[in-house]
């Protein structure tokens, strides 16, 4: 097992205080948006096995069978299939979706055939993989996720009392839901001159007055302040607000439009760079491709809570690229075994944990915000007093590592 040295990503939307507060370090004055833990080639963690720091992707590539284990290697190839993050948002992130595997493979192959360089800022598909993800809240966490029903969208637009929005509200009320959502969403991504400014003023005014939609308008007014003049605001009006309490999670599959707004959380995702954006960002926007990928359905937001099994609290999800669980360690309890067979990353978010190799008895201690990597060939156990997250793959590698099926833990 190896202590990880991780990169902090200083994206502009990041909090200046949340990650330093968690880790007990002084703020730098700059945003600290994400801490990446894994083997993503753009910013891999580093380990030191006595020969100086080495990128984790190179370590895994040098002996994938030992590092990943046979089941992971067969299923995903010689790469760590997940990426774990601490995410601290202090302003809205981009409005985005992720492709399914078929679309990712096709889009990647097409851009390769067109000769678009992998590192080009205008490239949309940077690899042939899908990018499901899940966020687990460590503090109150706010976001936008999935479409409101067509009628709810129409009611919200009507409450703004903007004449230019009336035809869109009529479409939402008068046509089949998926057709209506698709038509209005596409129109909002290419608004006529003047509409965005008028809607921004109306949202700001509505946020200042009590009413059935005030909480929504307070949210959208903040989006408008963070991204002035961005047409993503209009598309955001069609999305549901979601608030997670600490310990609750949100899973985001292919085609689900979303934007995180604020809060601190643990995020896990498939190890991919495929993000299609349509607004609330200064990065590359590919609205046409995003519209092809979006699922225009108004499904309920499923807020997940973990299922406990033998002291391990497992978050139920429908993919096998990753599996995330939580341990709440209580000091005098017996060691919690983490069996061998698949790669693992262990992250402490509260208190302190001791991770001990069953084979050698060697122990590493990690505190809040620190993490370690456990190769597939090693069995370790957990002790300590605090809260620890365990990231691994969701395929069956041992009798107690069976993936937990997706369930609707709670609908809000």
């Amino acid at each position: 097992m190896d202590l990880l040295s991780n990169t902090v990503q200083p994206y502009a939307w990041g909090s200046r205080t949340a990650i330093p507060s968690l880790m007990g370090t002084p703020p730098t004055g700059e945003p600290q948006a994400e801490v990446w833990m894994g083997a993503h080639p753009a910013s891999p963690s580093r380990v030191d096995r006595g020969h100086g720091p080495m990128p984790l992707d190179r370590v895994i590539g040098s002996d994938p069978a030992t590092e990943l284990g046979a089941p992971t290697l067969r299923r995903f190839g010689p790469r760590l299939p997940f990426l774990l993050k601490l995410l601290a948002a202090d302003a809205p992130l981009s409005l985005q979706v992720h492709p399914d595997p078929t679309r990712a493979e096709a889009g990647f192959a097409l851009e390769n055939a067109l000769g678009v360089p992998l590192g080009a800022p205008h490239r949309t598909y940077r690899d042939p993989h899908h990018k499901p993800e899940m966020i687990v809240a460590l503090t109150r966490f706010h976001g936008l996720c999935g479409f409101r029903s067509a009628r709810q969208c129409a009611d919200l637009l009507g409450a703004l009392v903007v004449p230019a929005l009336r035809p869109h509200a009529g479409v939402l009320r008068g046509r089949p839901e998926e057709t209506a959502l698709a038509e209005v969403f596409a129109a909002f991504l290419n608004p006529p001159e003047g509409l965005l400014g008028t809607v921004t003023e109306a949202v700001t005014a509505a946020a200042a007055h009590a009413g059935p939609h005030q909480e929504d308008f307070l949210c959208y007014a903040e989006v408008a302040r963070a991204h002035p003049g961005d047409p993503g605001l209009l598309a955001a009006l069609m999305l549901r607000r979601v608030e997670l309490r600490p310990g609750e999670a949100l899973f985001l599959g292919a085609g689900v439009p979303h934007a995180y707004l604020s809060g601190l959380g643990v995020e896990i995702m498939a190890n991919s760079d495929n993000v299609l954006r349509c607004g609330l960002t200064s990065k590359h926007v590919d609205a046409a491709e995003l519209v092809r990928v979006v699922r225009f359905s108004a499904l309920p937001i499923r807020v997940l809570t973990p299922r406990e099994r033998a002291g391990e609290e497992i978050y139920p999800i429908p993919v096998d690229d990753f599996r995330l669980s939580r341990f709440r360690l209580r000091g005098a309890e017996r060691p919690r075994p983490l069996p061998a067979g698949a790669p693992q990353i262990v992250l402490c978010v509260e208190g302190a944990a001791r991770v001990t190799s069953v084979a050698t008895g060697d122990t590493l201690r990690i505190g809040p915000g620190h993490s370690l990597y456990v190769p597939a060939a090693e069995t370790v156990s957990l002790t300590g007093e605090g809260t620890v997250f365990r990231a691994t793959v969701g395929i069956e590698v041992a009798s107690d590592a069976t993936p937990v099926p997706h369930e609707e833990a709670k609908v809000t």
Side-chain angles (χ1 to χ4, degrees):
M1 56 185 173
D2 305 272
L3 289 173
L4 291 178
S5 175
N6 303 308
T7 299
V8 177
Q9 307 292 355
Y11 305 139
W13 49 261
S15 169
R16 287 169 166 77
T17 59
I19 289 176
S21 178
L22 176 74
M23 300 181 70
T25 58
T28 64
E30 299 297 320
Q32 297 187 40
E34 296 179 346
V35 180
W36 287 24
M37 291 158 278
H40 194 291
S43 190
S45 300
R46 296 166 299 283
V47 302
D48 190 340
R49 295 183 174 176
H51 304 287
M54 290 282 291
L56 184 56
D57 57 338
R58 287 178 56 188
V59 171
I60 291 172
S62 67
D63 189 0
T66 299
E67 301 293 336
L68 302 176
T72 301
L73 186 58
R74 283 194 301 268
R75 172 66 179 85
F76 300 104
R79 57 190 288 273
L80 190 68
F82 61 85
L83 177 65
L84 186 67
K85 297 180 181 180
L86 279 171
L87 184 147
D90 200 36
L93 281 66
S94 59
L95 182 55
Q96 60 187 261
V97 301
H98 306 301
D100 63 21
T102 300
R103 191 67 195 172
E105 290 173 7
F108 183 70
L110 176 61
E111 289 189 291
N112 283 348
L114 294 173
V116 182
L118 278 178
H122 62 283
R123 176 137 188 164
T124 297
Y125 292 97
R126 300 184 182 276
D127 56 66
H129 307 295
H130 69 160
K131 191 175 179 287
E133 63 187 36
M134 180 172 64
I135 185 79
V136 179
L138 296 179
T139 66
R140 291 275 181 172
F141 196 94
H142 300 267
L144 301 172
C145 177
F147 287 104
R148 302 173 185 274
S149 71
R151 180 158 293 279
Q152 288 171 335
C153 288
D155 290 344
L156 187 74
L157 297 182
L160 286 174
V161 197
V162 174
L165 292 178
R166 289 173 187 161
H168 299 297
V171 168
L172 291 164
R173 289 194 173 97
R175 297 189 185 174
E177 184 159 83
E178 291 190 11
T179 302
L181 292 173
E183 181 176 332
V184 175
F185 189 79
F188 279 176
L189 294 180
N190 187 27
E193 184 175 354
L195 178 60
L196 179 59
T198 301
V199 170
T200 299
E201 292 176 1
V203 165
T204 303
H209 296 90
H213 300 287
Q214 187 181 29
E215 290 297 318
D216 293 315
F217 291 137
L218 284 168
C219 168
Y220 296 125
E222 179 56 35
V223 170
R225 282 192 293 270
H227 296 279
D230 193 311
L233 171 66
L234 298 174
L237 292 173
M238 301 180 68
L239 304 188
R240 299 176 186 266
R241 284 189 307 111
V242 61
E243 178 179 347
L244 302 178
R245 295 175 297 183
E248 294 181 334
L250 189 65
F251 174 79
L252 297 163
V256 178
H258 61 279
Y260 297 150
L261 301 177
S262 64
L264 176 66
V266 174
E267 186 181 35
I268 188 167
M269 61 188 62
N271 197 4
S272 169
D273 256 346
N274 288 327
V275 180
L276 290 84
R277 304 174 181 89
C278 67
L280 310 184
T281 183
S282 60
K283 295 182 179 180
H284 174 56
V285 168
D286 190 343
E289 180 64 12
L290 179 140
V291 168
R292 296 187 189 101
V293 170
V294 167
R295 293 171 55 197
F296 290 102
S297 57
L299 299 175
I301 301 299
R302 293 175 175 85
V303 176
L304 303 177
T305 53
R307 295 171 55 184
E308 194 274 337
R309 186 174 64 191
E312 183 177 15
E313 300 174 335
I314 305 167
Y315 287 89
I317 55 171
V319 297
D320 61 7
D321 305 74
F322 55 82
R323 175 179 183 264
L324 189 67
S325 58
R326 181 179 65 178
F327 292 89
R328 291 189 275 190
L329 306 174
R330 295 297 177 260
E333 296 175 337
R334 295 171 58 186
R336 309 282 182 86
L338 305 185
Q344 307 175 66
I345 292 177
V346 178
L347 166 67
C348 180
V349 297
E350 178 188 25
R354 294 181 298 277
V355 185
T356 302
S357 169
V358 172
T360 67
D362 294 338
T363 295
L364 293 176
R365 182 185 181 279
I366 52 175
H370 295 94
S371 56
L372 57 82
Y373 162 73
V374 183
E378 188 161 12
T379 300
V380 300
S381 64
L382 286 177
T383 56
E385 183 103 21
T387 303
V388 169
F389 282 87
R390 175 199 184 203
T392 186
V393 294
I395 59 177
E396 185 173 357
V397 296
S399 60
D400 57 347
T402 305
V404 177
H406 179 63
E407 73 170 20
E408 298 179 10
K410 181 174 65 176
V411 178
T412 59

